[in-house]
Amino acid sequence: MNMIICKDANAVGKTTAQEIAQLITGQGKCVLGLATGSTPIPCYNELVRMHKDEGLDFSHVTTFNLDEYLGLKPTHEQSYRYFMNQHLFDGINIELCNTFVPDGVGGDPRQCAGVYEDQIRALGPIHLQILGIGNNGHIGFNEPGSSLASRTRVVTLTEQTIRDNSRFFSSMEEVPKFALTMGIGTILEAERVILLATGAGKADAVAAAIEGPLTASCPASALQLHRNPIFIIDEQAASKLERKEYYIHAQDAMASLISS
Ligand code: F6R
């Protein structure tokens, strides 16, 4: 697996933004899969900066977000649509009609999930999917126990995820208990996948995803099946990897091979 171990969360953000910038400048139509949460914020800040200072062009880019809470309107400050507008879309020249987030208030949620999956199929493939990782190893809102072949669907959030996400709400009771999420099977169909992780709190989940067994108990371990996954993580998130020294050596060796 390709691993880039960076000094800190800001370096993770900058490195990821460079990967995205390289992709979107190098091709015509481009489809990105995006995540919310604290981890990708430095990357989105850097993309906004690159747009403003360097003219990075998003006019040909389509995006699909991983997930959305059920029952939160796009205008709700904790909805993932609101998050994306605030942290990325309002700061770049993307057409809002080309930005897709699952519809958490659109009527029958199972139907909304099916519509989203169809939209990905119609406008995809996703060229590059950005992922974060939950403390429990979830990707998107695919909680432990999710089928590794799952598609976009309605899911029940675990107590741990509700607890983790309650920091953004005024009380635990306000955190939605359900969400719509791309499935693990949907995610695995992206041409490239980059998983971001920062901070010591993610070290166990990262080690389980990369070096543990392939298991539904750690949804991120499904990336072991992907043909082109990259892990861009900081030193703290990498601290429990048994083969960390090898990954750093491989990263340096590959860089010198490419530059020679
Ligand atoms: C959000 C998402 C989640 C987060 C994960 C980590 O769209 O898909 O899987 O990536 O919960 O969240 P943070 O980055 O806040 O630690």
Side-chain angles (χ1 to χ4, degrees):
M1 304 232 248
N2 294 316
M3 189 90 60
I4 301 178
I5 300 177
C6 302
K7 191 164 70 67
D8 55 27
N10 262 335
V12 166
K14 285 197 169 143
T15 305
T16 310
Q18 276 157 13
E19 291 281 340
I20 293 173
Q22 212 169 17
L23 177 77
I24 69 178
T25 44
Q27 64 184 64
K29 171 183 173 272
C30 180
V31 185
L32 292 178
L34 299 176
T36 57
S38 326
T39 314
I41 290 177
C43 167
Y44 297 156
N45 289 344
E46 178 64 4
L47 289 174
V48 170
R49 190 203 63 75
M50 286 168 128
H51 169 67
K52 296 216 159 88
D53 297 349
E54 296 161 18
L56 182 63
D57 179 21
F58 290 82
S59 60
H60 58 298
V61 175
T62 296
T63 63
F64 283 95
N65 262 80
L66 282 166
D67 42 17
E68 178 60 285
Y69 288 118
L70 203 65
L72 294 196
K73 292 194 182 132
T75 49
H76 190 292
E77 287 189 11
Q78 296 310 330
S79 76
Y80 286 172
R81 160 56 74 182
Y82 191 95
F83 175 103
M84 289 310 301
N85 289 352
Q86 182 188 29
H87 289 286
L88 184 63
F89 301 150
D90 289 349
I92 59 176
N93 67 329
I94 197 163
E95 300 285 345
L96 269 191
C97 61
N98 292 334
T99 66
F100 294 81
V101 179
D103 186 352
V105 286
D108 179 348
R110 281 169 302 184
Q111 206 175 340
C112 292
V115 167
Y116 201 67
E117 185 77 24
D118 291 345
Q119 285 169 324
I120 296 173
R121 201 159 295 136
L123 298 170
I126 291 174
H127 297 113
L128 172 59
Q129 175 68 56
I130 301 297
L131 297 171
I133 183 169
N135 294 331
N136 62 2
H138 75 206
I139 46 175
F141 271 136
N142 294 284
E143 301 286 30
S146 297
S147 153
L148 300 185
S150 51
R151 316 301 308 189
T152 305
R153 67 199 188 291
V154 187
V155 291
T156 308
L157 303 182
T158 61
E159 281 296 320
Q160 180 175 352
T161 297
I162 293 169
R163 239 189 341 266
D164 289 346
N165 291 1
S166 66
R167 67 192 195 275
F168 301 113
F169 292 81
S170 37
S171 71
M172 281 267 283
E173 288 63 48
E174 276 185 36
V175 187
K177 310 291 180 284
F178 301 94
L180 290 170
T181 184
M182 274 188 207
I184 297 175
T186 321
I187 291 168
L188 290 178
E189 278 171 12
E191 289 180 357
R192 288 170 68 203
V193 173
I194 295 182
L195 185 141
L196 313 179
T198 55
K202 297 293 172 67
D204 284 319
V206 164
I210 296 171
E211 296 179 336
L214 171 64
T215 167
S217 295
C218 177
S221 70
L223 299 185
Q224 294 174 21
L225 289 175
H226 194 272
R227 61 196 147 138
N228 201 1
I230 309 180
F231 292 81
I232 305 183
I233 62 181
D234 71 1
E235 282 171 7
Q236 289 188 333
S239 60
K240 295 204 174 162
L241 288 168
E242 276 180 18
R243 287 185 284 277
K244 185 176 159 201
E245 298 314 317
Y246 167 71
Y247 304 134
I248 293 170
H249 163 68
Q251 180 184 338
D252 293 345
M254 196 55 72
S256 57
L257 180 71
I258 289 166
S259 66
S260 67

